[in-house]
Tab-separated table of all heavy atoms in Angstrom:
chain	number	residue	atom	x	y	z
A	20	ARG	N	115.477	23.407	231.874
A	20	ARG	CA	115.673	22.371	232.865
A	20	ARG	C	116.222	22.937	234.164
A	20	ARG	O	115.837	22.573	235.247
A	20	ARG	CB	116.552	21.321	232.262
A	20	ARG	CG	116.565	20.012	232.993
A	20	ARG	CD	117.121	18.944	232.211
A	20	ARG	NE	118.566	18.981	232.194
A	20	ARG	CZ	119.356	18.003	231.789
A	20	ARG	NH1	118.832	16.909	231.276
A	20	ARG	NH2	120.655	18.111	231.839
A	21	GLN	N	117.204	23.861	234.034
A	21	GLN	CA	117.800	24.485	235.223
A	21	GLN	C	116.797	25.364	235.983
A	21	GLN	O	116.816	25.386	237.167
A	21	GLN	CB	119.038	25.301	234.806
A	21	GLN	CG	120.207	24.496	234.358
A	21	GLN	CD	121.333	25.375	233.906
A	21	GLN	OE1	121.199	26.575	233.739
A	21	GLN	NE2	122.498	24.820	233.770
A	22	ARG	N	116.004	26.031	235.217
A	22	ARG	CA	114.947	26.904	235.875
A	22	ARG	C	113.958	26.058	236.603
A	22	ARG	O	113.528	26.416	237.679
A	22	ARG	CB	114.240	27.757	234.817
A	22	ARG	CG	115.130	28.930	234.386
A	22	ARG	CD	114.386	29.775	233.404
A	22	ARG	NE	115.286	30.881	233.043
A	22	ARG	CZ	115.077	32.115	233.359
A	22	ARG	NH1	113.970	32.512	233.909
A	22	ARG	NH2	115.921	33.028	232.988
A	23	ARG	N	113.590	24.921	236.024
A	23	ARG	CA	112.654	24.032	236.671
A	23	ARG	C	113.273	23.525	238.026
A	23	ARG	O	112.572	23.469	239.023
A	23	ARG	CB	112.258	22.862	235.758
A	23	ARG	CG	111.172	22.027	236.398
A	23	ARG	CD	110.660	20.982	235.399
A	23	ARG	NE	109.974	21.716	234.367
A	23	ARG	CZ	110.076	21.414	233.048
A	23	ARG	NH1	110.872	20.451	232.633
A	23	ARG	NH2	109.425	22.111	232.180
A	24	ALA	N	114.511	23.220	237.964
A	24	ALA	CA	115.193	22.713	239.166
A	24	ALA	C	115.289	23.803	240.223
A	24	ALA	O	115.104	23.569	241.429
A	24	ALA	CB	116.639	22.219	238.832
A	25	LEU	N	115.583	25.069	239.792
A	25	LEU	CA	115.666	26.158	240.762
A	25	LEU	C	114.267	26.394	241.396
A	25	LEU	O	114.161	26.563	242.609
A	25	LEU	CB	116.131	27.426	240.034
A	25	LEU	CG	116.203	28.734	240.937
A	25	LEU	CD1	117.130	28.519	242.092
A	25	LEU	CD2	116.606	29.905	240.041
A	26	ALA	N	113.257	26.428	240.547
A	26	ALA	CA	111.881	26.629	241.082
A	26	ALA	C	111.545	25.556	242.074
A	26	ALA	O	111.003	25.814	243.137
A	26	ALA	CB	110.887	26.630	239.928
A	27	GLU	N	111.926	24.284	241.783
A	27	GLU	CA	111.630	23.192	242.678
A	27	GLU	C	112.351	23.396	243.993
A	27	GLU	O	111.784	23.165	245.073
A	27	GLU	CB	112.058	21.877	242.030
A	27	GLU	CG	111.499	20.655	242.662
A	27	GLU	CD	111.754	19.434	241.834
A	27	GLU	OE1	111.256	19.264	240.703
A	27	GLU	OE2	112.586	18.560	242.291
A	28	GLU	N	113.620	23.796	243.957
A	28	GLU	CA	114.419	24.040	245.172
A	28	GLU	C	113.762	25.092	246.060
A	28	GLU	O	113.832	25.057	247.256
A	28	GLU	CB	115.814	24.496	244.784
A	28	GLU	CG	116.730	23.420	244.199
A	28	GLU	CD	118.011	24.035	243.686
A	28	GLU	OE1	118.465	25.113	244.229
A	28	GLU	OE2	118.546	23.486	242.740
A	29	LEU	N	113.163	26.116	245.360
A	29	LEU	CA	112.543	27.232	246.073
A	29	LEU	C	111.110	26.957	246.506
A	29	LEU	O	110.517	27.781	247.181
A	29	LEU	CB	112.596	28.477	245.191
A	29	LEU	CG	114.005	28.967	244.838
A	29	LEU	CD1	113.910	30.046	243.812
A	29	LEU	CD2	114.777	29.442	246.064
A	30	GLY	N	110.607	25.833	246.059
A	30	GLY	CA	109.221	25.539	246.393
A	30	GLY	C	108.205	26.403	245.631
A	30	GLY	O	107.131	26.672	246.110
A	31	LEU	N	108.583	26.814	244.444
A	31	LEU	CA	107.749	27.650	243.603
A	31	LEU	C	107.296	26.902	242.368
A	31	LEU	O	107.939	25.960	241.895
A	31	LEU	CB	108.506	28.886	243.172
A	31	LEU	CG	109.032	29.819	244.250
A	31	LEU	CD1	109.907	30.892	243.617
A	31	LEU	CD2	107.896	30.431	244.995
A	32	ASP	N	106.210	27.324	241.811
A	32	ASP	CA	105.731	26.795	240.517
A	32	ASP	C	106.742	27.275	239.479
A	32	ASP	O	107.102	28.468	239.469
A	32	ASP	CB	104.313	27.341	240.227
A	32	ASP	CG	103.786	26.758	238.975
A	32	ASP	OD1	104.168	27.225	237.876
A	32	ASP	OD2	102.949	25.816	239.036
A	33	ALA	N	107.150	26.422	238.606
A	33	ALA	CA	108.156	26.772	237.567
A	33	ALA	C	107.715	27.963	236.700
A	33	ALA	O	108.556	28.713	236.161
A	33	ALA	CB	108.509	25.578	236.724
A	34	SER	N	106.408	28.164	236.543
A	34	SER	CA	105.942	29.242	235.694
A	34	SER	C	106.280	30.608	236.191
A	34	SER	O	106.330	31.576	235.445
A	34	SER	CB	104.424	29.131	235.488
A	34	SER	OG	103.745	29.342	236.674
A	35	VAL	N	106.554	30.765	237.495
A	35	VAL	CA	106.939	32.075	238.035
A	35	VAL	C	108.286	32.546	237.499
A	35	VAL	O	108.553	33.733	237.484
A	35	VAL	CB	106.964	32.024	239.576
A	35	VAL	CG1	108.153	31.360	240.145
A	35	VAL	CG2	106.856	33.415	240.163
A	36	LEU	N	109.076	31.602	236.953
A	36	LEU	CA	110.378	32.001	236.380
A	36	LEU	C	110.275	32.256	234.858
A	36	LEU	O	111.283	32.712	234.285
A	36	LEU	CB	111.369	30.881	236.632
A	36	LEU	CG	111.876	30.715	238.051
A	36	LEU	CD1	112.622	29.434	238.236
A	36	LEU	CD2	112.732	31.926	238.437
A	37	ASP	N	109.128	32.076	234.257
A	37	ASP	CA	108.986	32.236	232.799
A	37	ASP	C	109.365	33.616	232.323
A	37	ASP	O	109.982	33.748	231.256
A	37	ASP	CB	107.585	31.923	232.356
A	37	ASP	CG	107.229	30.433	232.422
A	37	ASP	OD1	108.173	29.594	232.571
A	37	ASP	OD2	106.059	30.135	232.352
A	38	ASP	N	109.047	34.630	233.071
A	38	ASP	CA	109.263	36.001	232.641
A	38	ASP	C	110.479	36.656	233.251
A	38	ASP	O	110.725	37.836	233.035
A	38	ASP	CB	108.033	36.859	232.917
A	38	ASP	CG	106.828	36.416	232.132
A	38	ASP	OD1	107.009	36.119	230.931
A	38	ASP	OD2	105.706	36.391	232.687
A	39	VAL	N	111.295	35.887	233.951
A	39	VAL	CA	112.554	36.426	234.552
A	39	VAL	C	113.599	36.485	233.467
A	39	VAL	O	113.866	35.476	232.796
A	39	VAL	CB	112.992	35.569	235.773
A	39	VAL	CG1	114.294	36.082	236.306
A	39	VAL	CG2	111.918	35.596	236.832
A	40	GLN	N	114.200	37.643	233.267
A	40	GLN	CA	115.157	37.822	232.179
A	40	GLN	C	116.545	37.261	232.554
A	40	GLN	O	117.310	36.956	231.645
A	40	GLN	CB	115.224	39.296	231.817
A	40	GLN	CG	113.963	39.818	231.228
A	40	GLN	CD	114.030	41.286	230.935
A	40	GLN	OE1	114.901	42.024	231.389
A	40	GLN	NE2	113.036	41.810	230.262
A	41	LEU	N	116.883	37.230	233.799
A	41	LEU	CA	118.187	36.727	234.214
A	41	LEU	C	118.319	35.236	233.985
A	41	LEU	O	117.352	34.504	234.056
A	41	LEU	CB	118.456	37.019	235.694
A	41	LEU	CG	118.507	38.493	236.073
A	41	LEU	CD1	118.565	38.622	237.582
A	41	LEU	CD2	119.642	39.200	235.446
A	42	GLU	N	119.519	34.800	233.683
A	42	GLU	CA	119.787	33.367	233.559
A	42	GLU	C	119.829	32.709	234.907
A	42	GLU	O	120.056	33.358	235.930
A	42	GLU	CB	121.147	33.163	232.857
A	42	GLU	CG	121.227	33.733	231.430
A	42	GLU	CD	120.308	33.009	230.480
A	42	GLU	OE1	120.102	31.762	230.646
A	42	GLU	OE2	119.732	33.658	229.596
A	43	THR	N	119.593	31.433	234.891
A	43	THR	CA	119.625	30.688	236.224
A	43	THR	C	120.912	30.868	236.981
A	43	THR	O	120.890	31.062	238.197
A	43	THR	CB	119.361	29.171	235.946
A	43	THR	OG1	118.168	29.037	235.167
A	43	THR	CG2	119.207	28.423	237.230
A	44	ALA	N	122.024	30.872	236.277
A	44	ALA	CA	123.295	31.066	236.979
A	44	ALA	C	123.408	32.474	237.592
A	44	ALA	O	124.096	32.633	238.613
A	44	ALA	CB	124.475	30.853	235.982
A	45	GLU	N	122.739	33.441	237.064
A	45	GLU	CA	122.702	34.788	237.626
A	45	GLU	C	121.719	34.862	238.756
A	45	GLU	O	121.968	35.625	239.747
A	45	GLU	CB	122.343	35.807	236.516
A	45	GLU	CG	123.296	35.884	235.371
A	45	GLU	CD	122.784	36.692	234.186
A	45	GLU	OE1	121.614	36.516	233.828
A	45	GLU	OE2	123.558	37.520	233.696
A	46	LEU	N	120.665	34.154	238.705
A	46	LEU	CA	119.632	34.162	239.768
A	46	LEU	C	120.093	33.494	241.002
A	46	LEU	O	119.774	33.989	242.104
A	46	LEU	CB	118.367	33.460	239.262
A	46	LEU	CG	117.506	34.203	238.294
A	46	LEU	CD1	116.404	33.264	237.751
A	46	LEU	CD2	116.869	35.414	238.944
A	47	ARG	N	120.813	32.418	240.899
A	47	ARG	CA	121.164	31.615	242.121
A	47	ARG	C	121.849	32.460	243.198
A	47	ARG	O	121.456	32.412	244.354
A	47	ARG	CB	122.019	30.427	241.695
A	47	ARG	CG	121.193	29.303	241.153
A	47	ARG	CD	122.049	28.035	241.069
A	47	ARG	NE	121.239	26.997	240.402
A	47	ARG	CZ	120.359	26.248	241.005
A	47	ARG	NH1	120.077	26.440	242.283
A	47	ARG	NH2	119.714	25.310	240.330
A	48	PRO	N	122.902	33.249	242.890
A	48	PRO	CA	123.540	34.004	243.978
A	48	PRO	C	122.645	35.090	244.570
A	48	PRO	O	122.674	35.386	245.776
A	48	PRO	CB	124.777	34.621	243.344
A	48	PRO	CG	124.649	34.392	241.879
A	48	PRO	CD	123.640	33.370	241.652
A	49	ILE	N	121.772	35.668	243.748
A	49	ILE	CA	120.824	36.662	244.245
A	49	ILE	C	119.850	36.051	245.168
A	49	ILE	O	119.586	36.552	246.271
A	49	ILE	CB	120.135	37.417	243.063
A	49	ILE	CG1	121.176	38.129	242.189
A	49	ILE	CG2	119.085	38.383	243.582
A	49	ILE	CD1	120.584	38.640	240.881
A	50	VAL	N	119.259	34.925	244.705
A	50	VAL	CA	118.275	34.228	245.558
A	50	VAL	C	118.906	33.783	246.837
A	50	VAL	O	118.300	33.876	247.925
A	50	VAL	CB	117.623	33.045	244.766
A	50	VAL	CG1	116.876	32.156	245.645
A	50	VAL	CG2	116.804	33.575	243.613
A	51	SER	N	120.140	33.261	246.776
A	51	SER	CA	120.825	32.782	247.983
A	51	SER	C	121.044	33.945	248.970
A	51	SER	O	120.777	33.752	250.172
A	51	SER	CB	122.182	32.211	247.637
A	51	SER	OG	122.062	31.015	246.899
A	52	ALA	N	121.433	35.126	248.464
A	52	ALA	CA	121.617	36.251	249.356
A	52	ALA	C	120.334	36.662	250.028
A	52	ALA	O	120.306	37.013	251.208
A	52	ALA	CB	122.229	37.434	248.537
A	53	ILE	N	119.201	36.640	249.235
A	53	ILE	CA	117.921	37.043	249.832
A	53	ILE	C	117.495	36.008	250.873
A	53	ILE	O	117.021	36.370	251.960
A	53	ILE	CB	116.880	37.170	248.747
A	53	ILE	CG1	117.216	38.359	247.789
A	53	ILE	CG2	115.471	37.337	249.323
A	53	ILE	CD1	116.391	38.426	246.559
A	54	LYS	N	117.647	34.720	250.569
A	54	LYS	CA	117.241	33.650	251.458
A	54	LYS	C	118.068	33.629	252.754
A	54	LYS	O	117.610	33.187	253.789
A	54	LYS	CB	117.311	32.290	250.774
A	54	LYS	CG	116.285	32.115	249.692
A	54	LYS	CD	114.905	32.141	250.246
A	54	LYS	CE	113.866	31.862	249.235
A	54	LYS	NZ	112.515	31.997	249.742
A	55	GLU	N	119.337	34.108	252.685
A	55	GLU	CA	120.208	34.148	253.865
A	55	GLU	C	119.816	35.248	254.794
A	55	GLU	O	120.282	35.312	255.915
A	55	GLU	CB	121.665	34.344	253.428
A	55	GLU	CG	122.261	33.111	252.799
A	55	GLU	CD	123.648	33.331	252.257
A	55	GLU	OE1	124.206	34.464	252.413
A	55	GLU	OE2	124.183	32.419	251.589
A	56	ARG	N	118.969	36.187	254.344
A	56	ARG	CA	118.561	37.313	255.129
A	56	ARG	C	117.017	37.343	255.227
A	56	ARG	O	116.344	38.164	254.582
A	56	ARG	CB	119.050	38.650	254.507
A	56	ARG	CG	120.533	38.703	254.499
A	56	ARG	CD	120.999	39.757	253.510
A	56	ARG	NE	122.452	39.843	253.402
A	56	ARG	CZ	123.214	39.038	252.690
A	56	ARG	NH1	122.679	38.083	251.983
A	56	ARG	NH2	124.494	39.189	252.694
A	57	PRO	N	116.489	36.485	256.023
A	57	PRO	CA	114.997	36.443	256.154
A	57	PRO	C	114.401	37.822	256.574
A	57	PRO	O	115.052	38.549	257.319
A	57	PRO	CB	114.719	35.422	257.273
A	57	PRO	CG	115.950	34.644	257.348
A	57	PRO	CD	117.079	35.519	256.944
A	58	ASN	N	113.301	38.117	256.020
A	58	ASN	CA	112.613	39.403	256.329
A	58	ASN	C	113.418	40.623	255.917
A	58	ASN	O	113.325	41.676	256.548
A	58	ASN	CB	112.193	39.493	257.803
A	58	ASN	CG	111.334	38.347	258.210
A	58	ASN	OD1	110.446	37.960	257.530
A	58	ASN	ND2	111.678	37.739	259.383
A	59	CYS	N	114.222	40.457	254.869
A	59	CYS	CA	115.020	41.619	254.442
A	59	CYS	C	114.249	42.621	253.622
A	59	CYS	O	113.101	42.372	253.242
A	59	CYS	CB	116.252	41.140	253.621
A	59	CYS	SG	115.886	40.569	251.948
A	60	SER	N	114.839	43.742	253.365
A	60	SER	CA	114.268	44.738	252.500
A	60	SER	C	114.986	44.638	251.127
A	60	SER	O	116.188	44.660	251.090
A	60	SER	CB	114.460	46.159	253.045
A	60	SER	OG	113.775	46.278	254.295
A	61	LEU	N	114.166	44.501	250.116
A	61	LEU	CA	114.711	44.247	248.753
A	61	LEU	C	114.244	45.394	247.885
A	61	LEU	O	113.043	45.739	247.826
A	61	LEU	CB	114.191	42.919	248.183
A	61	LEU	CG	114.616	42.581	246.782
A	61	LEU	CD1	116.094	42.370	246.676
A	61	LEU	CD2	113.885	41.282	246.350
A	62	LEU	N	115.197	46.074	247.192
A	62	LEU	CA	114.894	47.143	246.290
A	62	LEU	C	115.104	46.673	244.863
A	62	LEU	O	116.193	46.153	244.555
A	62	LEU	CB	115.784	48.338	246.570
A	62	LEU	CG	115.606	49.585	245.672
A	62	LEU	CD1	114.175	50.116	245.778
A	62	LEU	CD2	116.600	50.655	246.078
A	63	VAL	N	114.083	46.753	244.020
A	63	VAL	CA	114.137	46.273	242.663
A	63	VAL	C	113.961	47.426	241.754
A	63	VAL	O	112.993	48.230	241.895
A	63	VAL	CB	113.073	45.186	242.386
A	63	VAL	CG1	113.139	44.731	240.971
A	63	VAL	CG2	113.162	44.008	243.316
A	64	PHE	N	114.916	47.636	240.846
A	64	PHE	CA	114.834	48.772	239.890
A	64	PHE	C	114.069	48.289	238.660
A	64	PHE	O	114.528	47.452	237.903
A	64	PHE	CB	116.207	49.267	239.506
A	64	PHE	CG	116.907	49.955	240.684
A	64	PHE	CD1	117.631	49.203	241.600
A	64	PHE	CD2	116.788	51.334	240.804
A	64	PHE	CE1	118.267	49.838	242.675
A	64	PHE	CE2	117.377	51.949	241.904
A	64	PHE	CZ	118.111	51.185	242.822
A	65	GLY	N	112.900	48.855	238.476
A	65	GLY	CA	112.031	48.572	237.290
A	65	GLY	C	110.998	47.495	237.650
A	65	GLY	O	111.307	46.513	238.281
A	66	CYS	N	109.791	47.742	237.209
A	66	CYS	CA	108.749	46.821	237.295
A	66	CYS	C	108.572	46.128	235.954
A	66	CYS	O	108.628	46.767	234.936
A	66	CYS	CB	107.405	47.486	237.681
A	66	CYS	SG	107.378	48.183	239.353
A	67	GLY	N	108.446	44.841	236.042
A	67	GLY	CA	108.265	44.099	234.770
A	67	GLY	C	107.514	42.834	235.067
A	67	GLY	O	106.941	42.614	236.098
A	68	LYS	N	107.530	41.947	234.070
A	68	LYS	CA	106.836	40.695	234.203
A	68	LYS	C	107.458	39.811	235.254
A	68	LYS	O	106.869	38.849	235.698
A	68	LYS	CB	106.791	40.017	232.842
A	68	LYS	CG	105.938	40.756	231.825
A	68	LYS	CD	105.959	40.020	230.520
A	68	LYS	CE	105.118	40.776	229.482
A	68	LYS	NZ	105.130	40.147	228.189
A	69	ASP	N	108.684	40.143	235.656
A	69	ASP	CA	109.344	39.317	236.654
A	69	ASP	C	109.088	39.806	238.078
A	69	ASP	O	109.519	39.190	239.058
A	69	ASP	CB	110.867	39.224	236.435
A	69	ASP	CG	111.548	40.615	236.482
A	69	ASP	OD1	110.836	41.618	236.504
A	69	ASP	OD2	112.777	40.623	236.515
A	70	SER	N	108.301	40.859	238.235
A	70	SER	CA	108.001	41.394	239.578
A	70	SER	C	107.447	40.357	240.539
A	70	SER	O	107.822	40.325	241.716
A	70	SER	CB	107.097	42.597	239.490
A	70	SER	OG	107.754	43.640	238.768
A	71	PRO	N	106.478	39.497	240.120
A	71	PRO	CA	105.970	38.547	241.015
A	71	PRO	C	107.005	37.555	241.590
A	71	PRO	O	106.938	37.161	242.711
A	71	PRO	CB	104.926	37.738	240.197
A	71	PRO	CG	104.502	38.681	239.155
A	71	PRO	CD	105.774	39.504	238.868
A	72	PHE	N	108.016	37.264	240.758
A	72	PHE	CA	109.091	36.419	241.225
A	72	PHE	C	109.833	37.046	242.402
A	72	PHE	O	110.079	36.381	243.430
A	72	PHE	CB	110.046	36.127	240.099
A	72	PHE	CG	111.323	35.432	240.540
A	72	PHE	CD1	111.286	34.031	240.802
A	72	PHE	CD2	112.522	36.099	240.684
A	72	PHE	CE1	112.465	33.418	241.235
A	72	PHE	CE2	113.683	35.488	241.131
A	72	PHE	CZ	113.639	34.152	241.406
A	73	TRP	N	110.195	38.335	242.302
A	73	TRP	CA	110.953	38.973	243.334
A	73	TRP	C	110.119	39.063	244.644
A	73	TRP	O	110.662	38.946	245.699
A	73	TRP	CB	111.441	40.346	242.902
A	73	TRP	CG	112.355	40.242	241.719
A	73	TRP	CD1	112.182	40.690	240.474
A	73	TRP	CD2	113.638	39.581	241.710
A	73	TRP	NE1	113.209	40.325	239.616
A	73	TRP	CE2	114.142	39.666	240.417
A	73	TRP	CE3	114.392	38.972	242.693
A	73	TRP	CZ2	115.358	39.124	240.053
A	73	TRP	CZ3	115.613	38.401	242.346
A	73	TRP	CH2	116.114	38.529	241.029
A	74	GLU	N	108.813	39.277	244.468
A	74	GLU	CA	107.958	39.359	245.658
A	74	GLU	C	107.894	37.961	246.346
A	74	GLU	O	107.931	37.881	247.585
A	74	GLU	CB	106.552	39.809	245.282
A	74	GLU	CG	106.489	41.288	244.893
A	74	GLU	CD	105.107	41.738	244.534
A	74	GLU	OE1	104.433	41.034	243.808
A	74	GLU	OE2	104.729	42.811	245.009
A	75	LYS	N	107.783	36.929	245.566
A	75	LYS	CA	107.717	35.579	246.163
A	75	LYS	C	109.016	35.187	246.809
A	75	LYS	O	109.021	34.567	247.855
A	75	LYS	CB	107.321	34.580	245.080
A	75	LYS	CG	105.924	34.664	244.660
A	75	LYS	CD	105.586	33.619	243.609
A	75	LYS	CE	104.219	33.914	242.981
A	75	LYS	NZ	103.145	33.157	243.530
A	76	ILE	N	110.138	35.518	246.203
A	76	ILE	CA	111.457	35.185	246.746
A	76	ILE	C	111.674	35.888	248.087
A	76	ILE	O	112.237	35.302	249.003
A	76	ILE	CB	112.570	35.539	245.774
A	76	ILE	CG1	112.570	34.607	244.553
A	76	ILE	CG2	113.932	35.525	246.436
A	76	ILE	CD1	112.742	33.131	244.964
A	77	ASN	N	111.193	37.054	248.223
A	77	ASN	CA	111.336	37.821	249.460
A	77	ASN	C	110.044	37.826	250.254
A	77	ASN	O	109.658	38.839	250.838
A	77	ASN	CB	111.784	39.269	249.117
A	77	ASN	CG	112.283	40.014	250.290
A	77	ASN	OD1	112.922	39.432	251.196
A	77	ASN	ND2	112.052	41.275	250.346
A	78	GLY	N	109.380	36.675	250.294
A	78	GLY	CA	108.061	36.559	250.886
A	78	GLY	C	107.866	37.139	252.273
A	78	GLY	O	106.899	37.746	252.561
A	79	GLY	N	108.878	36.993	253.167
A	79	GLY	CA	108.705	37.507	254.509
A	79	GLY	C	109.213	38.887	254.720
A	79	GLY	O	109.035	39.463	255.811
A	80	GLY	N	109.778	39.457	253.666
A	80	GLY	CA	110.385	40.786	253.821
A	80	GLY	C	109.606	41.869	253.042
A	80	GLY	O	108.483	41.619	252.604
A	81	THR	N	110.207	43.014	252.928
A	81	THR	CA	109.604	44.142	252.222
A	81	THR	C	110.278	44.261	250.876
A	81	THR	O	111.473	44.348	250.786
A	81	THR	CB	109.817	45.422	252.987
A	81	THR	OG1	109.213	45.272	254.272
A	81	THR	CG2	109.200	46.599	252.274
A	82	THR	N	109.501	44.249	249.787
A	82	THR	CA	110.036	44.398	248.458
A	82	THR	C	109.473	45.677	247.877
A	82	THR	O	108.272	45.905	247.840
A	82	THR	CB	109.613	43.212	247.553
A	82	THR	OG1	110.030	42.004	248.162
A	82	THR	CG2	110.245	43.323	246.181
A	83	ALA	N	110.398	46.593	247.475
A	83	ALA	CA	109.985	47.917	246.905
A	83	ALA	C	110.501	47.961	245.485
A	83	ALA	O	111.604	47.550	245.184
A	83	ALA	CB	110.584	49.023	247.722
A	84	PHE	N	109.649	48.504	244.586
A	84	PHE	CA	110.015	48.640	243.173
A	84	PHE	C	110.107	50.126	242.854
A	84	PHE	O	109.299	50.878	243.201
A	84	PHE	CB	108.942	47.978	242.318
A	84	PHE	CG	108.827	46.486	242.502
A	84	PHE	CD1	107.954	45.973	243.455
A	84	PHE	CD2	109.590	45.611	241.721
A	84	PHE	CE1	107.881	44.624	243.657
A	84	PHE	CE2	109.476	44.241	241.898
A	84	PHE	CZ	108.611	43.756	242.888
A	85	ILE	N	111.193	50.459	242.123
A	85	ILE	CA	111.325	51.818	241.635
A	85	ILE	C	111.209	51.761	240.113
A	85	ILE	O	111.877	50.981	239.430
A	85	ILE	CB	112.715	52.398	241.981
A	85	ILE	CG1	112.841	52.544	243.505
A	85	ILE	CG2	112.969	53.728	241.293
A	85	ILE	CD1	114.116	53.073	243.979
A	86	GLU	N	110.252	52.558	239.611
A	86	GLU	CA	109.969	52.560	238.230
A	86	GLU	C	109.810	53.976	237.703
A	86	GLU	O	109.091	54.769	238.345
A	86	GLU	CB	108.720	51.710	237.891
A	86	GLU	CG	108.205	51.712	236.505
A	86	GLU	CD	109.240	51.084	235.569
A	86	GLU	OE1	109.578	49.890	235.696
A	86	GLU	OE2	109.736	51.825	234.680
A	87	ASP	N	110.449	54.346	236.607
A	87	ASP	CA	110.303	55.646	236.104
A	87	ASP	C	109.290	55.764	234.939
A	87	ASP	O	108.936	56.857	234.519
A	87	ASP	CB	111.660	56.234	235.621
A	87	ASP	CG	112.222	55.484	234.423
A	87	ASP	OD1	111.757	54.370	234.122
A	87	ASP	OD2	113.218	55.972	233.841
A	88	ASN	N	108.743	54.630	234.542
A	88	ASN	CA	107.712	54.629	233.505
A	88	ASN	C	106.324	54.663	234.183
A	88	ASN	O	105.973	53.686	234.871
A	88	ASN	CB	107.866	53.380	232.633
A	88	ASN	CG	106.903	53.344	231.482
A	88	ASN	OD1	105.901	54.062	231.493
A	88	ASN	ND2	107.186	52.509	230.534
A	89	PRO	N	105.563	55.686	233.988
A	89	PRO	CA	104.233	55.773	234.646
A	89	PRO	C	103.255	54.726	234.246
A	89	PRO	O	102.312	54.407	234.909
A	89	PRO	CB	103.743	57.152	234.316
A	89	PRO	CG	104.518	57.597	233.099
A	89	PRO	CD	105.842	56.853	233.165
A	90	ASP	N	103.486	54.068	233.089
A	90	ASP	CA	102.576	53.028	232.628
A	90	ASP	C	102.824	51.767	233.423
A	90	ASP	O	102.044	50.906	233.541
A	90	ASP	CB	102.743	52.758	231.157
A	90	ASP	CG	102.318	53.977	230.284
A	90	ASP	OD1	101.446	54.737	230.764
A	90	ASP	OD2	102.882	54.161	229.215
């Protein structure tokens, strides 16, 4: 229910949060920090099923992923 509310606040489809491992309470401050800095550069350690979420949250900025697994 909290994830659905967060997705709604962000104007995203709730399914984009399905694969995010962080809890909603952990996501809120991160999302707030990104949203307070439009067009920011975001560095994400590890590519996973939640990668589309981070790209969407930082829509106007640059999102870079660092991954040590070649697969």
Side-chain angles (χ1 to χ4, degrees):
R20 194 165 80 167
Q21 291 178 346
R22 284 182 180 245
R23 185 170 293 136
L25 178 60
E27 197 171 292
E28 289 172 28
L29 298 171
L31 300 173
D32 184 283
S34 66
V35 76
L36 288 168
D37 287 348
D38 294 320
V39 176
Q40 295 176 348
L41 296 173
E42 297 295 326
T43 305
E45 297 169 315
L46 284 171
R47 282 191 185 280
I49 298 169
V50 169
S51 292
I53 294 168
K54 292 296 186 185
E55 289 173 5
R56 295 162 183 83
N58 303 316
C59 74
S60 295
L61 178 64
L62 179 60
V63 180
F64 291 86
C66 292
K68 293 180 181 177
D69 61 349
S70 297
F72 171 77
W73 298 114
E74 289 180 316
K75 287 180 192 262
I76 289 301
N77 194 34
T81 301
T82 305
F84 295 90
I85 294 179
E86 177 60 64
D87 64 347
N88 184 342
D90 295 331

